[in-house]
């Protein structure tokens, strides 16, 4: 299951790396009808993926949306759990664990608080007069707290990388910042000017945004007896 599938960018990238013997039939869930339609079209165009069942739903309603007799070898959530209701996160995790087959795995790819993603969004919430969403995004640390509270065992793989944007690419910089804060309204270049110099590498004439993302892996086989919804 592709949880919060968006426009299926992740399967598009993964498709190029997969061996011929593997084919994935995936259920798709997203709150946006546009994203679901785009994802289905993308899946049909890929060599190693095809869409199965689609669900037009917020992730918070996962326990009520997916039939209890449905099961999956793999569930992945690529940055899609950043904006879910914090109070619903435990129910989501329990539901995903229940939906996994005995040897199934749940992959959560989630930004860490030390990432530029998180720090830029936090700056936006603190300094913008009217943010389009007053809720803080969830980080990997929030998910780990919930998993530990549920006694769900997991592995963690830390991934660090840097996004670079040349100084003269002002339009690209603006698009990037808007994506980071999920808001197209503000004049982001002016709004973020006080902190952009922190990311400026003058000798290279680049803005550099250091990212830290965690891949959390939940193995159903290692969680026999863990609570499920």
């Amino acid at each position: 299951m592709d949880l919060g599938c968006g426009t299926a960018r992740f399967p598009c990238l993964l498709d190029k790396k997969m061996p011929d013997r593997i084919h994935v039939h995936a259920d798709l869930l997203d709150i946006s009808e546009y994203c679901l339609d785009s994802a289905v079209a993308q899946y049909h165009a890929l060599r190693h993926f095809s869409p199965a069942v689609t669900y037009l739903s917020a992730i918070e309603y996962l326990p009520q949306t997916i039939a209890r007799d449905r099961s999956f070898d793999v569930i992945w959530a690529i940055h899609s759990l950043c904006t879910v209701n914090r109070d619903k996160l435990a129910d989501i995790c329990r539901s995903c664990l229940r939906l996994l087959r005995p040897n199934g795995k749940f992959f959560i790819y989630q930004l860490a608080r030390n990432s530029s993603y998180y720090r830029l969004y936090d700056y936006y919430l603190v300094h913008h007069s009217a943010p389009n969403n007053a809720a803080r995004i969830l980080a990997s640390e929030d998910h780990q707290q919930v998993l530990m509270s549920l006694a769900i065992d997991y592995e963690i793989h830390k991934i660090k990388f840097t996004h670079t944007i040349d100084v003269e690419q002002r339009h690209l910089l603006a698009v990037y910042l808007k994506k980071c804060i999920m808001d197209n309204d503000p004049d982001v270049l002016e709004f973020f000017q006080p902190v952009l110099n922190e990311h400026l590498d003058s000798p290279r004439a680049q803005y550099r945004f250091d990212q830290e993302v965690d891949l959390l892996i939940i193995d159903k086989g290692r969680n026999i007896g863990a609570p499920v919804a």
Side-chain angles (χ1 to χ4, degrees):
M1 180 167 63
D2 192 341
L3 189 59
C5 62
T7 57
R9 182 61 179 158
F10 170 65
C12 289
L13 294 171
L14 185 59
D15 191 63
K16 303 170 185 176
K17 303 289 187 180
M18 293 173 65
D20 290 339
R21 61 184 176 82
I22 294 179
H23 192 89
V24 176
H25 299 273
D27 284 11
L28 311 178
L29 183 146
D30 203 277
I31 195 173
S32 164
E33 187 172 6
Y34 166 79
C35 285
L36 269 182
D37 290 343
S38 298
V40 168
Q42 288 280 18
Y43 267 71
H44 280 306
L46 298 177
R47 183 176 181 182
H48 300 284
F49 290 85
S50 58
V53 183
T54 60
Y55 308 92
L56 181 61
S57 171
I59 294 176
E60 286 88 344
Y61 298 116
L62 178 71
Q64 298 82 34
T65 301
I66 310 296
R68 295 188 70 88
D69 61 353
R70 197 80 175 144
S71 62
F72 305 95
D73 294 306
V74 175
I75 300 173
W76 66 78
I78 310 298
H79 279 321
S80 55
L81 296 179
C82 293
T83 57
V84 299
N85 185 322
R86 176 67 166 75
D87 295 334
K88 299 290 186 180
L89 193 54
D91 287 341
I92 293 168
C93 291
R94 284 194 292 258
S95 292
C96 286
L97 190 59
R98 172 181 61 79
L99 290 167
L100 287 175
R101 290 172 185 154
N103 293 318
K105 293 187 179 183
F106 180 23
F107 296 93
I108 303 173
Y109 184 77
Q110 190 72 21
L111 58 88
R113 290 178 187 153
N114 193 41
S115 67
S116 292
Y117 289 131
Y118 189 89
R119 288 183 277 113
L120 288 169
Y121 192 82
D122 195 57
Y123 180 89
Y124 164 72
L125 288 185
V126 171
H127 294 91
H128 196 272
S129 59
N132 65 354
N133 187 340
R136 279 183 160 77
I137 56 177
L138 299 182
S140 169
E141 291 86 348
D142 298 301
H143 290 269
Q144 292 179 61
Q145 288 177 1
V146 169
L147 293 174
M148 287 187 288
S149 73
L150 296 173
I152 294 177
D153 185 50
Y154 65 93
E155 299 175 36
I156 180 169
H157 298 267
K158 290 198 164 291
I159 304 168
K160 296 183 180 182
F161 53 93
T162 301
H163 291 145
T164 62
I165 300 175
D166 292 341
V167 167
E168 67 269 18
Q169 294 181 297
R170 302 286 288 176
H171 175 71
L172 178 59
L173 178 62
V175 170
Y176 179 81
L177 293 170
K178 288 179 181 181
K179 293 289 187 182
C180 285
I181 62 174
M182 296 173 281
D183 189 345
N184 287 320
D185 290 336
D187 182 349
V188 285
L189 296 181
E190 180 179 349
F191 177 76
F192 279 109
Q193 192 56 50
V195 294
L196 279 177
N197 283 340
E198 298 174 12
H199 298 276
L200 178 61
D201 185 337
S202 295
R204 297 181 183 178
Q206 288 180 332
Y207 290 102
R208 298 176 62 84
F209 300 94
D210 294 327
Q211 305 295 359
E212 183 175 317
V213 179
D214 292 337
L215 178 61
L216 307 178
I217 304 176
I218 301 168
D219 188 326
K220 178 70 170 277
R222 293 172 56 179
N223 283 281
I224 303 301
V228 295

